[in-house]
């Protein structure tokens, strides 16, 4: 089964939780007894030990003192902080969608090679305003944000113009199915697919499409992820954006990207798949 990209963060949380549980058991304390010593409800102890709740630095210090192991606290605090920094929740990052689209301007300015894989959507770097507006409006309604799809879409399109700058290159790999998921009305979708044909022909853009009929997959369809040069991988989830900076994990995503890229078709065959999706819209 595919593993969620949040698994790295959750695994890091689980390591901290397991060590805290071992300390409690080593001290001969029950869940309730530790909770009493720490001054909180026993359910909090269970949530921490099952990695459902991230402990604060104060929680960890209380826990270690209760177990007679105060020297364990500093290392566990650092581990817990590292785990939480991997998993930054969008509800704390975003107050409105426009701010999200204008985020990380320096990262975009510094990046020379964008590598993007998407199994469900046209990548943001080549989205039209109508398509982006439909997508971001849907996100706003689902998440209960103020409806600002058009403004956010313009911000996204403005940001994407960076790929036209000198010395930049975008390598995009999409699953064929992504060409059929409609964002916005039929006209917006038609305009998006038409622009994809144009953008895919730009000298700075490599557009690959993995056919739905690909019979020899070496990697299953994954969650959308962006690689900025070789320094950061951003993975999009429903509830969060996972930012990966560990070299070993970046290498794993680069390996996956290269295998996905190897399954894609390019040039005329890729354009034919886009045209096929355009014809499926049954325009009058």
């Amino acid at each position: 089964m595919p593993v969620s990209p949040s698994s790295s963060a959750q695994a890091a949380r689980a390591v901290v939780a397991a060590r805290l549980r071992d300390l409690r058991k080593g001290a001969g304390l029950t869940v309730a007894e530790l909770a009493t010593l720490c001054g909180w409800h026993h359910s909090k102890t269970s949530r921490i030990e099952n990695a459902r709740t991230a402990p604060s630095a104060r929680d960890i210090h209380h826990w270690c003192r209760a177990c007679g192991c105060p020297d364990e606290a500093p290392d566990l605090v650092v581990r817990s902080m590292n785990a939480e920094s991997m998993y930054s929740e969008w509800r704390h990052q975003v107050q409105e969608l426009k701010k999200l689209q204008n985020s990380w301007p320096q990262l975009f300015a510094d990046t020379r090679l964008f590598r993007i894989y998407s199994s469900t959507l046209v990548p943001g770097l080549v989205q039209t305003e109508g398509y982006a507006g439909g997508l971001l409006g849907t996100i706003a309604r689902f998440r209960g944000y103020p409806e600002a799809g058009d403004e956010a879409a313009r911000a996204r399109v403005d940001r994407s113009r960076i790929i036209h700058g000198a010395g930049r290159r975008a390598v995009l790999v999409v699953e064929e199915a992504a060409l059929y998921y409609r964002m916005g009305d039929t006209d917006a979708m038609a305009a998006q697919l038409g622009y994809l044909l144009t953008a895919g022909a730009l000298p700075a853009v490599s557009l690959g499409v993995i056919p739905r009929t690909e019979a020899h997959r070496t990697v299953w369809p994954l969650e959308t992820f962006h690689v900025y040069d070789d320094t950061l991988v951003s993975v999009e989830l429903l509830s969060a954006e996972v930012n990966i900076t560990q070299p070993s994990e970046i290498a794993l995503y680069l390996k996956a990207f290269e295998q996905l890229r190897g399954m894609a078709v390019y040039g005329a065959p890729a354009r034919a798949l886009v045209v096929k999706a355009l014809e499926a819209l049954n325009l009058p």
Side-chain angles (χ1 to χ4, degrees):
M1 262 183 95
V3 178
S4 166
S6 64
S7 60
S8 296
Q10 190 61 26
R13 283 177 171 179
V15 168
V16 175
R19 182 56 186 155
L20 291 172
R21 182 171 59 250
D22 288 344
L23 290 178
R24 176 183 63 77
K25 290 183 175 180
L29 298 172
T30 66
V31 168
E33 287 170 342
L34 184 131
T36 299
L37 290 172
C38 292
W40 60 57
H41 194 272
H42 64 83
S43 63
K44 178 175 177 177
T45 303
S46 296
R47 291 196 305 272
I48 291 174
E49 288 194 351
N50 288 288
R52 292 197 300 269
T53 295
S56 67
R58 179 175 293 183
D59 292 339
I60 292 172
H61 280 286
H62 283 329
W63 191 299
C64 291
R65 281 199 299 270
C67 296
C69 305
D71 293 342
E72 293 265 359
D75 179 63
L76 285 171
V77 168
V78 171
R79 289 190 187 188
S80 182
M81 290 176 64
N82 287 341
E84 294 314 301
S85 69
M86 292 168 64
Y87 193 91
S88 45
E89 296 184 39
W90 281 354
R91 67 176 178 267
H92 297 312
Q93 291 182 348
V94 183
Q95 295 182 352
E96 58 184 67
L97 286 173
K98 184 180 178 183
K99 290 182 180 178
L100 176 60
Q101 300 315 307
N102 285 328
S103 64
W104 293 5
Q106 194 58 50
L107 177 65
F108 266 67
D110 293 342
T111 299
R112 290 295 177 267
L113 175 60
F114 297 87
R115 282 167 286 195
I116 302 173
Y117 165 77
S118 180
S119 59
T120 56
L121 297 167
V122 172
L125 280 179
V126 289
Q127 286 180 7
T128 60
E129 192 170 314
Y131 181 95
L135 169 61
L136 296 171
T138 300
I139 293 172
R141 290 188 295 274
F142 178 79
R143 297 186 64 82
Y145 295 153
E147 191 77 39
D150 292 342
E151 192 175 0
R154 283 192 292 273
R156 171 169 286 196
V157 172
D158 287 343
R159 187 182 67 178
S160 69
R161 292 195 177 101
I162 198 166
I163 64 172
H164 298 285
R168 288 186 170 83
R169 181 166 171 74
V171 182
L172 314 175
V173 177
V174 300
E175 299 284 349
E176 184 185 356
L179 305 177
Y180 290 85
Y181 297 131
R182 297 195 186 190
M183 294 295 141
D185 59 23
T186 301
D187 289 341
M189 194 67 195
Q192 174 62 77
L193 293 173
Y195 179 68
L196 197 57
L197 292 171
T198 302
L202 294 173
V205 176
S206 170
L207 174 64
V209 180
I210 301 176
R212 290 183 291 183
T213 55
E214 173 60 43
H216 302 289
R217 297 195 69 108
T218 56
V219 180
W220 58 93
L222 301 174
E223 300 82 356
T224 293
F225 64 88
H226 302 67
V227 184
Y228 300 91
D229 290 326
D230 292 331
T231 59
L232 184 142
V233 176
S234 174
V235 189
E236 297 178 1
L237 304 178
L238 174 65
S239 62
E241 181 178 77
V242 180
N243 300 317
I244 296 168
T245 56
Q246 284 286 94
S248 60
E249 293 196 56
I250 290 175
L252 188 63
Y253 276 94
L254 288 175
K255 176 182 178 180
F257 186 84
E258 287 305 307
Q259 293 197 18
L260 289 161
R261 191 165 71 91
M263 292 186 287
V265 296
Y266 300 84
R271 289 193 294 274
L273 291 176
V274 177
V275 170
K276 183 179 176 183
L278 189 54
E279 291 172 345
L281 292 174
N282 295 319
L283 296 172

